[in-house]
Amino acid sequence: TVIRPGDRGKTPKVTFNDVAGLDEAKVEIMEFVDFLKKPEKYRRLGAKLPKGALLVGPPGTGKTLLAKATAGEASVPFFSTSGSDFIEMFVGVGPSRVRDLFAQARANAPCIVFIDEIDAVGRARGRGGFAGGNDERENTLNALLVEMDGFTSSTGVVVFAGTNRADILDKALLRPGRFDRQVLIDKPDIRGRYQIFLVHLRPLKLADDVSTIAKRLASLTPGFTGADIANICNEAALIAARDNRSQVGMSDFEAATDRVIGGLEKKNKVISREE
Ligand code: ATP
């Protein structure tokens, strides 16, 4: 049984408190938390809860974090993997990894399964793009569909999948009883960035008032994701340490922001060269 990388069934310590912003997404996800905590309430009414949801948004916006925090809120085990992990050179490995993942989930129910980059397996058929031959990918997708159909909502397994392209997914994945709900996870606006900075500034020893720094940084970072913000906060602390300062100050954050912007520009260049 190989589920890699990521989480293999521990109950996460992170909760919604660690996820800044994303208020609407949290409201939608809250229903799953309630269901995992009090399944009888739903069963008694004969309600069938969706088996899962697609978390749709750009990389680094907190999809994995939100899925994990949902498990933390509900105090249930969390299993995570990436769609690209299902795709292997060896025939049959993908489908068997999918079956293993769901077997473990069922054995540990109630629990949450998160499949990041679902598009790696779930791209609409006939679109190509996978060098190892499409049969293996299709077989893996079929295994996933079979597993999704193979449990009822009373099994207590909730499946979330992350993607930044819902439009390229095979329609079969989006049918009722599968990923029939979509939760949008967008890049944060200035208020969202402020809140995310507050979360990631929390562990640092700061030279100024935390909300002053967060406000200033939020206005300096349009277009940044939560992952970029986490990165800036850590870089700033590293810069302060390198300069032997006992507190992290605004100049460290400014230098860190430049450094992260430099990294993003480089990444974009590489991406545009590949296209
Ligand atoms: P990918 O699609 O690339 O897997 P993702 O959307 O799943 O990205 P995460 O892996 O959840 O993004 O985010 C990376 C890190 O960025 C998180 O571990 C966290 O430190 C930080 N982060 C992202 N969004 C938020 C947020 N809303 N609040 C707090 N931290 C965040």
Side-chain angles (χ1 to χ4, degrees):
T1 13
V2 240
I3 296 173
R4 13 143 257 152
D7 297 81
R8 301 147 195 238
K10 277 215 203 99
T11 301
K13 290 202 176 66
V14 290
T15 63
F16 282 172
N17 256 341
D18 302 288
V19 187
L22 304 182
D23 295 337
E24 285 167 35
K26 281 185 201 162
V27 169
E28 289 187 56
I29 295 279
M30 215 43 214
E31 195 176 11
F32 290 100
V33 175
D34 197 50
F35 168 69
L36 287 166
K37 278 182 153 170
K38 299 173 229 153
E40 333 72 56
K41 173 174 139 186
Y42 293 82
R43 248 173 246 151
R44 234 181 289 136
L45 290 166
K48 275 202 208 92
L49 213 78
K51 291 177 182 174
L54 210 55
L55 309 184
V56 185
T61 46
K63 299 183 290 294
T64 308
L65 181 65
L66 183 65
K68 194 169 181 174
T70 307
E73 284 287 326
S75 296
V76 299
F78 183 64
F79 294 88
S80 79
T81 186
S82 166
S84 55
D85 268 332
F86 292 133
I87 305 298
E88 280 279 335
M89 267 158 39
F90 303 105
V91 173
V93 171
S96 84
R97 282 199 178 148
V98 169
R99 286 190 292 268
D100 283 349
L101 174 66
F102 280 85
Q104 286 203 31
R106 267 192 293 263
N108 288 279
C111 71
I112 291 180
V113 171
F114 179 67
I115 306 170
D116 203 4
E117 296 176 48
I118 185 87
D119 30 300
V121 270
R123 216 178 301 118
R125 283 166 254 213
R127 277 194 179 235
F130 172 53
N134 274 319
D135 287 353
E136 174 69 358
R137 192 177 65 77
E138 263 174 44
N139 291 340
T140 306
L141 173 58
N142 285 330
L144 181 61
L145 296 175
V146 167
E147 291 298 333
M148 289 293 291
D149 293 345
F151 67 90
T152 61
S153 61
S154 62
T155 310
V157 177
V158 166
V159 189
F160 292 133
T163 182
N164 55 355
R165 295 286 309 274
D167 56 308
I168 62 166
L169 292 180
D170 198 299
K171 295 289 168 283
L173 270 174
L174 309 177
R175 275 202 206 115
R178 295 169 182 164
F179 297 101
D180 49 5
R181 284 207 182 178
Q182 297 194 11
V183 178
L184 292 184
I185 315 278
D186 246 334
K187 284 191 182 180
D189 59 8
I190 188 163
R191 203 175 136 259
R193 294 196 300 278
Y194 170 73
Q195 289 166 335
I196 299 172
F197 269 112
L198 286 183
V199 166
H200 291 280
L201 291 172
R202 209 155 50 193
L204 304 187
K205 187 129 183 30
L206 300 173
D208 300 285
D209 167 56
V210 61
S211 66
T212 312
I213 295 185
K215 233 174 247 162
R216 180 86 195 278
L217 289 170
S219 68
L220 285 178
T221 49
F224 280 46
T225 63
D228 300 329
I229 290 172
N231 204 354
I232 288 179
C233 292
N234 193 54
E235 280 289 332
L238 292 176
I239 292 169
R242 192 194 58 198
D243 295 348
N244 292 313
R245 267 192 289 283
S246 57
Q247 295 175 316
V248 194
M250 201 56 215
S251 64
D252 301 316
F253 287 108
E254 276 160 3
T257 306
D258 283 348
R259 209 186 258 184
V260 170
I261 290 174
L264 292 177
E265 278 168 0
K266 232 182 262 159
K267 206 161 66 187
N268 288 341
K269 242 184 241 156
V270 173
I271 290 168
S272 53
R273 215 183 300 136
E274 277 173 356
E275 274 171 357

